[in-house]
Amino acid sequence: MHDQTRPATVRVFIALAPPDHAKEELARELRPAYATHPQMRWNRIEDWHITLAFLGELPVGTVPLLRPPLAGLAAARRSLSLALRGSGSFDDRVLWSGIDGDLDALYALAMDVRSTVEECGVVLEERPFRPHLTLARARRGDHSSTGEIARGIAGFTGRRWPAERLHLVGSNFGRSSGPIHYRDIEAWPLGDGSSSGS
């Protein structure tokens, strides 16, 4: 009976994505850790992103309602100049890289994204915005790996890059036992794209 019903929800978040050259810079820095800590659950480099708002599981029908207001929000904003910098861990389990650059504008964008989503009727969890890229997760019982790796790349500072697109992203989390895969549902350019840096 139930096998003909398609999933009624999708797990969604709104994010910025570093360009390939910025990700490659950090990946080079991480290469020794990939070799020394193969037991970590390393995120795929193509999935690295800066989450602005995590919407959780939404009814599939809600997603189209988000598109016009998010497109309008993106068009009203300029691109941001950001860089990947340093590292740390959350709860000894989650390894992250920090974000540097136009942080005031980044926080303002995250606040506006959250307000826009809530105006569409989506209830967001009250969690503080901590801009970062999640790089890996330690397995249960491993309390030392994330700290070791974070200390090894604490001095990393990447080159600046323009964040030029706002991404609405969906994931298959919870629907399979394999790794989480993300896909862009849609992405909108920030600003009108006609001014190439000022």
Side-chain angles (χ1 to χ4, degrees), residues 8 38 87 109 111 127 130-131 161 163:
S87 186
L109 177 62
M111 293 286 290
R127 26 168 117 170
R130 296 189 284 190
W161 42 272

Side-chain angles (χ1 to χ4, degrees), residues 69-100:
L70 287 172
L73 171 63
R77 294 290 176 282
R78 292 187 174 281
S79 67
L80 313 179
S81 176
L82 302 175
L84 304 179
R85 181 173 185 179
S87 186
S89 66
F90 298 135
D91 303 325
D92 289 335
R93 291 284 307 280
V94 178
L95 177 72
W96 51 263
S97 175
I99 310 299
D100 201 4

Side-chain angles (χ1 to χ4, degrees), residues 134-145:
T134 298
L135 304 176
R137 285 175 174 77
R139 296 186 183 277
R140 283 194 195 287
D142 177 356
H143 301 294
S144 61
S145 292

Side-chain angles (χ1 to χ4, degrees), residues 6 17-18 28 39 42 54 61-62 65 71-72 88 92 105 113 124 129 141 159 164 167 169 177 188 194:
R6 295 208 165 275
R28 277 196 301 275
Q39 77 283 8
W42 292 98
F54 179 72
T62 300
L65 306 178
D92 289 335
V113 162
L124 297 179
F129 176 55
R159 285 174 300 158
E164 296 175 319
H167 298 260
V169 186
S177 56
W188 301 274
S194 63

